[in-house]
């Protein structure tokens, strides 16, 4: 858990849930639509999204995964959990889960109507990618136990 988020436990309030899903050295990501009315247009994003109703954080993350990629995973497939502050919502938190996908999971992906396309991007590429959602680069590195990314702005 991120120290900035304080103590959080299942059942506590949260704004969003995201998934850091790997298959080998690849990270499941999608390129967000390039509409100016959405946050981070044209950026590489992780599966997940905002909470609906009274759903739990795992329910939120897995519902979004199904909507965005057509995958149905059980909560037992979520291996780790981290909590981070939401930059746009003072006091709000986002819950990030890690997990692994199999080649069969990848073959079963049926991309939804949000975003332009998906890919398995090498994790080492995502954490320094100029078009990754900016605050997710370091979070992915932290959750996967990688060194903090050094971004090149040349």
């Amino acid at each position: 858990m991120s120290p900035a988020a304080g103590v959080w436990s299942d059942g506590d309030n949260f704004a969003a849930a995201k998934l850091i899903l790997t298959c080998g050295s690849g990270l499941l990501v999608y390129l967000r639509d390039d509409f100016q009315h959405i946050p981070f247009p044209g950026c590489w994003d992780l599966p997940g999204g905002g909470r609906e109703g009274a759903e739990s954080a795992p329910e939120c993350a897995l519902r979004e995964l199904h909507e965005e990629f057509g995958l149905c995973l059980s909560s037992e497939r979520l291996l780790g959990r981290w909590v981070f502050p939401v930059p746009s919502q003072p006091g709000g938190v986002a819950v990030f889960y890690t997990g692994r996908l199999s080649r069969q999971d990848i073959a079963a992906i049926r991309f939804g109507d949000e975003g332009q396309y998906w890919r398995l991007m090498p994790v080492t590429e995502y954490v320094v990618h100029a078009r990754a959602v900016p605050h997710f680069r370091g979070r992915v590195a932290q959750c996967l136990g990688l060194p903090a990314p050094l971004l090149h702005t040349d």
Side-chain angles (χ1 to χ4, degrees):
M1 178 182 343
S2 169
V7 176
W8 186 90
S9 60
D10 289 327
D12 288 351
N13 197 23
F14 67 97
K18 287 289 193 176
L19 293 167
I20 299 170
L21 298 174
T22 56
C23 181
S25 62
L27 175 67
L28 183 64
V29 296
Y30 72 98
L31 188 63
R32 293 178 61 81
D33 288 315
D34 204 9
F35 303 136
Q36 294 307 306
H37 68 277
I38 65 171
F40 308 106
C43 286
W44 289 103
D45 198 358
L46 303 168
R51 183 181 198 181
E52 292 184 2
E55 67 188 349
S56 69
E59 289 168 342
C60 174
L62 295 171
R63 172 188 51 78
E64 288 281 350
L65 179 67
H66 182 257
E67 290 174 5
E68 295 167 353
F69 293 89
L71 293 179
C72 293
L73 300 184
S74 69
S75 59
E76 290 78 30
R77 305 256 322 255
L78 304 178
L79 304 175
R81 181 189 77 197
W82 286 260
V83 178
F84 297 97
V86 175
S88 63
Q89 297 181 17
V93 298
V95 184
F96 282 63
Y97 292 95
T98 57
R100 292 189 187 96
L101 296 174
S102 68
R103 286 284 166 202
Q104 292 81 10
D105 294 325
I106 299 303
I109 289 176
R110 300 295 177 261
F111 194 58
D113 59 2
E114 291 183 28
Q116 299 177 52
Y117 57 93
W118 70 272
R119 71 178 274 214
L120 275 179
M121 181 182 288
V123 172
T124 54
E125 180 182 341
Y126 185 84
V127 298
V128 296
H129 201 293
R131 289 179 54 204
V133 173
H135 54 288
F136 290 174
R137 294 183 291 235
R139 292 177 182 184
V140 167
Q142 179 180 345
C143 293
L144 295 178
L146 302 173
L150 297 174
L151 302 178
H152 301 283
T153 58
D154 306 339

